[in-house]
Amino acid sequence: MRAVRERCVWSQQITHRDLVPYLIEESHEVIDAVESGTRADLREELGDLLWQVLFHAAIAAQDPDDPFDIDDVADTLTEKMVRRHPHVFAGEVATTPDEVLVHWNAAKAAEKRTRRSVLDGVPRGMPALALAQKIVGRAAGAGVEVEGPTGGAVAAPTTEAELGDVLLGLVAVARTNGWDAERALRERLPGLEAEVRDAESGA
């Protein structure tokens, strides 16, 4: 990576922002390899994703004001993982996955003390459906429940497979009406976020 950054004129011009589309694409290619690829596909795609991390670190190392390199990235990750696994690296005990999550969430909360809302830290660049699921989960933590379908045109699914059918059907409805399903969901989320912030402030 160092050699590419130093000798490739294309790579020399690339910024963190320029790399974002490639990072998204490579992440999705890893997902495809996990879901329907071979072991060789997964090995290759994980390498491509790792290249993105190395590329970002190489760019960061040349920042004139606040440089850091891949070793700093690894050190920060190591410190975080040690903190979040006190049942592995300290004297805490966790014998079930649920107990592990208790330690993980406690450590994460301690790290994020400056956050004022359960919505802080949610990456807004996520696809709308994944973003909606994340926000609905955080909303529940603030006491704001989002009602699911209770009848009418859309029956409440009882299995994940049925949920897939319902979502697919809603996408078909959107297509028939010339609506953008991704945009429709994304534009509904600010209203939910406002409800959460109102609940947190006692409004």
Side-chain angles (χ1 to χ4, degrees):
M1 183 67 249
R2 211 171 277 122
V4 167
R5 185 71 173 168
E6 289 173 359
R7 301 176 199 166
C8 172
V9 292
W10 181 84
S11 299
Q12 290 168 357
Q13 306 303 314
I14 294 297
T15 66
H16 291 297
R17 184 177 292 276
D18 294 332
L19 278 181
V20 167
Y22 301 101
L23 179 60
I24 293 169
E25 180 179 345
E26 297 299 353
S27 298
H28 284 289
E29 288 179 0
V30 169
I31 294 168
D32 284 347
V34 167
E35 294 180 345
S36 58
T38 65
R39 298 289 291 172
D41 292 335
L42 181 58
R43 183 170 61 244
E44 178 183 354
E45 298 306 339
L46 285 171
D48 290 346
L49 186 59
L50 177 58
W51 183 256
Q52 294 299 306
V53 175
L54 294 170
F55 207 151
H56 276 285
I59 295 168
Q62 296 176 326
D63 187 281
D65 301 317
D66 187 16
F68 61 83
D69 62 16
I70 192 64
D71 291 330
D72 298 316
V73 172
D75 288 344
T76 300
L77 175 61
T78 299
E79 291 168 7
K80 179 191 288 186
M81 291 303 105
V82 167
R83 276 195 314 274
R84 293 191 182 181
H85 293 82
H87 54 291
V88 175
F89 298 105
E92 301 293 341
V93 175
T95 57
T96 67
D98 286 343
E99 290 174 353
V100 170
L101 282 178
V102 169
H103 292 307
W104 178 276
N105 290 330
K108 190 173 180 179
E111 294 165 12
K112 310 298 183 184
R113 284 190 184 124
T114 58
R115 292 184 175 173
R116 298 183 178 183
S117 170
V118 295
L119 299 175
D120 291 347
V122 175
R124 294 311 190 271
M126 295 171 68
L129 189 57
L131 180 60
Q133 184 156 340
K134 177 74 76 173
I135 291 175
V136 167
R138 297 285 183 93
V144 177
E145 294 294 335
V146 178
E147 294 292 329
T150 56
V154 180
T158 57
T159 67
E160 192 168 287
E162 287 181 8
L163 173 63
D165 290 339
V166 170
L167 291 171
L168 191 59
L170 289 173
V171 169
V173 169
R175 180 182 178 279
T176 298
N177 288 278
W179 301 332
D180 184 320
E182 174 85 5
R183 183 175 62 228
L185 181 56
R186 187 172 291 279
E187 290 183 351
R188 171 61 181 87
L189 294 177
L192 175 57
E193 293 186 52
E195 291 179 50
V196 171
R197 294 186 190 281
D198 286 346
E200 289 176 326
S201 67

